[in-house]
């Protein structure tokens, strides 16, 4: 966080998280492997009661390899474009 002025704050951050599961237990509905995230945002205090914010985050979810064997059969593969983009806007009003 960096306060540009008393009303304007810039934010940035990165994070890493290891895989929540392995290829044998991964399913295609959430093919998340390791996660690398980077984000940035801006927050503006329009008044003592009103804050306006806008942020963006990129999340890379790794290759998402799947090697799942079950009684229903075998599911194998990987995701070469396994990422998400998030944009968030908010207005907070203290009453």
């Amino acid at each position: 966080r960096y306060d540009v002025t008393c009303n304007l704050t810039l934010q940035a951050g990165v994070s890493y998280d290891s895989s929540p599961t392995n290829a044998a237990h991964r399913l295609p509905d959430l093919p998340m492997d390791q996660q690398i995230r980077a984000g940035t945002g801006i927050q503006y205090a329009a008044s003592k009661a009103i804050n306006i914010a806008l942020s963006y985050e990129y999340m890379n979810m790794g290759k998402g390899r799947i090697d799942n064997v079950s009684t229903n059969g075998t599911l194998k593969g990987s995701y070469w474009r396994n990422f998400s983009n998030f944009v968030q806007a908010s207005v907070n009003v203290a009453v």
Side-chain angles (χ1 to χ4, degrees):
R1 293 177 60 107
Y2 176 73
D3 293 329
V4 178
T5 68
C6 61
N7 292 356
L8 184 65
T9 303
L10 300 178
Q11 304 170 8
V14 296
S15 70
Y16 169 81
D17 195 2
S18 60
S19 179
T21 188
N22 59 33
H25 294 98
R26 193 170 290 125
L27 298 173
D29 56 348
L30 189 59
M32 190 179 304
D33 194 0
Q34 67 180 8
Q35 298 172 54
I36 300 171
R37 297 175 181 232
T40 187
I42 187 168
Q43 184 175 354
Y44 177 70
S47 70
K48 287 185 178 184
I50 300 173
N51 283 314
I52 301 167
L54 179 65
S55 64
Y56 166 77
E57 181 180 357
Y58 168 79
M59 179 174 66
N60 183 318
M61 295 179 282
K63 294 200 184 299
R65 285 190 346 250
I66 298 173
D67 190 5
N68 191 315
V69 178
S70 72
T71 57
N72 295 325
T74 300
L75 180 62
K76 284 186 151 201
S78 65
Y79 291 80
W80 62 277
R81 292 179 51 107
N82 198 16
F83 63 89
S84 292
N85 293 287
F86 305 93
V87 176
Q88 179 266 334
S90 65
V91 176
N92 296 314
V93 179
V95 290

